[in-house]
Amino acid sequence: MYSIKQASIRSGVSVPLIRAWERRYGVVSPQRTTSGYRLYDDAAIGTLMRVRELTESGWTASEASRAVLAGEVTVDPMPPQLLVTSGDDATRPYQMVLIDRFTEAAIAMDIAAIGGALDEMFAQGSFESIVDDLLMPALVELGRAWQEGRLDVAAEHTASAAVHRRLSALYEAAATVADPLLVVGLPPGARHELGSLAFAVAVRRLGVGVLYLGADVPVTSWVHVIMQNRARMAVVAVVQEADRIAALEVAAALRDAGLRPTLAVGGGSARWDGAEEAGMVVLPDRINEAAAVAARLAREAKPAS
C-alpha cells in the first residue's frame, strides 16, 4: 500500500489531481488509515496511470474515468516495486528511499551526499527508466521542501546544479551528427530549466538532432535560431503560469517572421486553452512520452523556411 505522495510518484498524476479525480469521478477508492490518510494499492495506481494516459491522448477526465470504471479500456497491472528489506527503511519502496536521501542531502547542503544520491538514482537503470519515476519526482520533492521552508535557496541551487551537470553530460553524450530538427528552450523570464533539459536529453537519445537553448531565451533569439538552423520544430517550456504569455509571444514572433516550424509546449503549466488556440501542440506531461511525440513530429515536419 502506498501513501498519496507515493501514488503520485508512481502514477505520474499530481496529488491535487488524484484528489480531484476521486471526488468528481470516483476513479479510485483508497483505503484509509486510522488517522484518515489515504492508502493506494497497485491496482489503484494502474487505474490512475491509465486515466492519465487517456487524458494525455485527448480524452476528457470524465470520459476516461467512465471508460476505465466500465471496463471499456484495459488497465495494465503494475509491476512489483523493489522494497528495502533491512534497516530503518525496511518495506519502504526503494524509489522513495532514494528521493528522501537526495532531499535530505540537499537540506544538509552535503555536496558529497547529493552526488552519492544521484549516483544511486542513475545506477537504477537507463535514463529512460528513471527520468519520469525517479529523477523528476526527486526534483518535485526538492521544490516542495523549499516551499515548506525546509530547504534554503542556496541549498536548492546547489542540488539543482548537481542535477544540471548530470543532465548536461547526458545531453553531450547523446549528441547526433545531424542538423537539429528540433529546438528546445524556455521563453523570456523563465528559469526553471531542468525538466526541459531532461526532455532534450530524451529526444536526443531517440536519434533526433536537438539544439537546447536553455533558460530565459529572448523572443528575438528564438526567431534567429529557427531561421539560422531551419529547424523543423520548436518546443517552448511552460513551467509556470507566468511563462504562458511569453510562450505566446515566441509563437507570434515566429509567425510574424514568416517562419512556420511545428510549435509545441510542454511542462507543468503547458495545458491551457491559449496554447491550442495559438496552434501549438501540447506535449504529454511525462518526459518519455513527450519526447516520443516530439521526435515523431520533428521527423514529419518540413523545414521552417
Side-chain angles (χ1 to χ4, degrees), residues 252-267:
L254 290 172
R255 288 195 302 268
D256 291 345
L259 301 173
R260 294 291 186 272
T262 298
L263 286 172
V265 287

Side-chain angles (χ1 to χ4, degrees), residues 1-69:
M1 302 296 286
Y2 310 98
S3 69
I4 192 168
K5 175 181 168 183
Q6 295 166 344
S8 174
I9 291 171
R10 295 206 73 195
S11 67
V13 181
S14 69
V15 169
L17 201 53
I18 291 175
R19 292 195 178 109
W21 287 355
E22 288 177 17
R23 183 177 65 255
R24 296 173 186 172
Y25 313 120
V27 68
V28 288
S29 299
Q31 297 181 30
R32 298 273 183 165
T33 66
T34 55
S35 301
Y37 293 106
R38 292 172 171 85
L39 291 176
Y40 300 80
D41 58 16
D42 286 333
I45 294 173
T47 297
L48 290 169
M49 289 180 64
R50 189 66 175 118
V51 173
R52 175 185 58 77
E53 291 166 356
L54 291 172
T55 58
E56 289 177 351
S57 68
W59 292 48
T60 66
S62 60
E63 291 171 340
S65 300
R66 185 201 60 76
V68 168
L69 292 173

Side-chain angles (χ1 to χ4, degrees), residues 56-166:
E56 289 177 351
S57 68
W59 292 48
T60 66
S62 60
E63 291 171 340
S65 300
R66 185 201 60 76
V68 168
L69 292 173
E72 296 173 5
V73 294
T74 58
V75 176
D76 295 329
M78 287 293 298
Q81 186 169 17
L82 179 63
L83 299 178
V84 180
T85 56
S86 62
D88 294 339
D89 290 319
T91 74
R92 292 187 66 210
Y94 193 42
Q95 177 189 48
M96 296 302 304
V97 173
L98 291 180
I99 291 172
D100 287 347
R101 285 178 186 171
F102 172 72
T103 306
E104 290 162 6
I107 291 172
M109 215 170 180
D110 186 332
I111 296 174
I114 291 170
L118 289 173
D119 285 342
E120 200 164 358
M121 284 186 192
F122 281 93
Q124 299 308 305
S126 66
F127 177 77
E128 289 76 15
S129 68
I130 70 165
V131 63
D132 284 309
D133 297 320
L134 190 53
L135 181 61
M136 300 314 296
L139 294 175
V140 169
E141 187 61 23
L142 191 72
R144 183 180 292 116
W146 173 77
Q147 290 175 341
E148 294 173 352
R150 296 184 289 122
L151 182 72
D152 184 78
V153 172
E156 190 274 336
H157 287 180
T158 298
S160 295
V163 176
H164 193 286
R165 289 191 294 272
R166 301 298 177 103

